[in-house]
Amino acid sequence: MTESGTTAHRDEQAIIRISGLVTRFGANVIHDGLDLTVRPREVIGIVGASGSGKSVLLRAIIGLIRPAAGRIEVFGRDIRALDARERQALRQRWAMLFQDGALFSSLTVAQNIEVPLIEHTRIPPPLRRELAALKVALAGLPPEAAHKYPAELSGGMRKRAGLARALALDPEILFLDEPTAGLDPIGAARFDALIAELRRTLALTVVMVTHDLDSLYAICDRVAVLIDKRVKVGTIESLLREPDPWIREYFLGPRGRAARQAAARARGEHANEG
Amino acid sequence: MYRVLSRIEEAVAGEVSSASTPSAFPPASLVVSVPGPRRMSGPGPRDPPRFAVTRAGADATLKLTGAWTTQNLTAAVAAPERAVPSDAVRVRVDISGLTALDTAGAWLVTRTLRHLRKAGHAVELVGSGAAAASLIETVARSDVPVPPPPPPDNPLVAIVVRIGRASVFIAREARDLINFLGLTVIVLGRLGLRPWRLRFTALVSHMERAGLNALPIVGLIAFLIGVVLAYQGADQLARFGAQIFTVNLVGIGVLREMGILLTAIMVAGRSGSAFTAQIGTMAVNEEIDAMRTIGLDPMEVLVAPRVIALVLVMPLLTFYADLMGLLGGAVMATAVLDISFVRFARQLSEAVTMWSFWVGIIKAPLFGFIIAMIGCYEGLKVARNAESVGRQTTRAVVEAVFLVIVLDALFSILFSVLGI
């Protein structure tokens, strides 16, 4: 076991613990001995250059991709050692928001949200419909959006509808794949605020792949940077002390600096209000 | 059931929870116990949600216990407010006994409070910890009235509406198809004037895919139809001792109708649908818009090569299908009727004229044109979602086959008027 692996194991507070993860497509190695620990109720952002395997990492955690080697523990259980029933039970404790919502296009938003409820719970239909409406409201959608089809919604609304469906079963972990990509800055900021709010009220653990520096500063507790097929994890401040040129350019480039100033300003205003 | 529960508990003096109700009553009706999907870890959210009502004079207490989570909620606990006696003045909803609460449970609590207030009780929520209180507050804030789903129409009205919609749709579709026919003809005319603008690579590729690659299946089907025609014909004609006329039946049937119709139906199913799916996927992917932006005309780049390819390939395929159909008939005639190949050929040359052959072949380019045009038209009409690709593809095949058969009928009438 690598040294970082042992440190990961000393950290008792872990809702997801990845050690020695290797994934590859053919001869193309994506991750090589990657270790990552996610703590309960934190928001962790996964960043990295295009093609560095951010989405692959997410997909490996939720079991859409089978890793070549390594161990992925979620809620203290190795996900590769689960039988079909346990895996099914595990799936109800996490949820993923795909990039464009991945809503079922033949169903209305409310019906989309009801799909997991019908499949996995015994909630009676009237209550189920109310719950669907509740999730619509929690995701910040107007009530009338419930009866619309995904094709009738804007990109931002589709994302919120996808989030509402992800929240249907009250997951403990929420995976987000580029939640703010394709949203205008105002929509993106609102979506960030929504995630932060939901994390607070629903006690969620959030793992998000993102390219949005503003999101990183605004809502992420820690950031995992994918570099050289592994990750470097820490708060943004601690990552800034890393000598790695990519990390420095990422956070200290013109966009990174702008995001940082914006975040500092927001914090200042927040302090004044408080 | 809830009323029963509350009455029982009023009878039993003092604090009685549903868990400790007398066992004289079937427990299933009192204790809501659902072995919901098992959670793998975490603080026992598996214990079932329950509620119980206790009375003390004008006051009633609704006590919720257990894990009120999405996984555990059932119809049995969906309306705790019904268990509260209606003459109670003050109702305390006590949630201190909850072991777990999520948004679904919090919603149910909120809803219960609202219903109780509406029923005229003075309601008080007690025993909520900080986490539960914040969750309930969040949920209550999201408690906005939802417009009900649009009610299903009166079935009679719905039928009329559907018929009306379908009629308008068909009329529009016909108009748009005629429009598209015009556009296609214009593009083909333009290409006729400037043939170097035709994409030859695409043309050859489509000819290969729609023509060459279709040879095995078209040949097999035509052969089998020849066999079937010969066999059925022989069966009937043998009653008059006129087996030899089976050859006439096969010859006329295959050359005039069967060869071309089967080929057209196969090509509509194979290539017409493929055109729609290809162009439709491009439309979903915004490739069509990109083309227009770059200044490429999708009619010229996508539609023209496909239409020309099918127009060229259909007669060849039909000719091939004719041959295979006759071969099937001949094989059958030899095997069952003892008509040798030579006799078959001699009889055939007497039975069919050159026109029998041409009647079939003449229709081929036209059918090819129709199939390719409808395939491309439906493909370009695909909206930006996955479902639409499937819908348009189905529509393309149905419309192409329909039009081919309608045209075939018209041709039959025309030829009979002309006396061919």
Side-chain angles (χ1 to χ4, degrees), chain A residues 145-222:
Chain A
H147 303 303
K148 288 192 174 156
Y149 286 90
E152 298 170 301
L153 301 176
S154 68
M157 286 172 89
R158 264 207 300 281
K159 265 191 189 164
R160 284 173 186 263
L163 183 66
R165 187 180 67 184
L167 292 174
L169 290 176
D170 269 80
E172 291 160 62
I173 309 177
L174 187 60
F175 296 99
L176 308 172
D177 193 358
E178 306 227 11
T180 53
L183 298 186
D184 63 80
I186 299 169
R190 289 207 182 121
F191 203 85
D192 283 346
L194 175 66
I195 299 287
E197 155 95 14
L198 290 174
R199 187 269 288 254
R200 196 171 51 76
T201 53
L202 307 183
L204 291 169
T205 305
V206 181
V207 180
M208 60 194 283
V209 164
T210 187
H211 269 307
D212 189 336
L213 284 151
D214 292 312
S215 297
L216 289 179
Y217 278 104
I219 59 172
C220 289
D221 300 314
R222 293 193 304 156

Side-chain angles (χ1 to χ4, degrees), chain A residues 75 77 82 85-86 89 92-93 105-106 117 120-124 127 130-131 133-135 137-138 143-144 147 151 168-170 172 197 201-202, chain B residues 34-35 37-42 70-71 73-75 78 102-104 107-108 111 134-135 138-139 141-142 144-150 385 387:
Chain A
F75 303 116
R77 300 284 304 267
L82 300 178
R85 236 185 88 195
E86 290 171 320
Q92 294 170 35
R93 297 179 64 187
S105 53
S106 56
L117 291 172
H120 296 304
T121 72
R122 303 187 178 196
I123 296 174
L127 182 59
E130 289 180 19
L131 281 178
L134 170 68
K135 307 289 166 163
L138 277 178
E144 59 272 14
H147 303 303
L169 290 176
D170 269 80
E172 291 160 62
E197 155 95 14
T201 53
L202 307 183
Chain B
V34 179
R38 191 158 51 97
R39 288 222 164 185
M40 286 168 37
S41 69
T70 312
Q71 301 294 349
L73 294 180
T74 59
D102 68 1
T103 54
W107 166 253
L108 206 45
R111 198 174 80 143
S134 116
L135 189 59
T138 307
V139 169
R141 225 179 320 123
S142 306
V144 283
V146 177
N385 61 64
E387 205 190 355

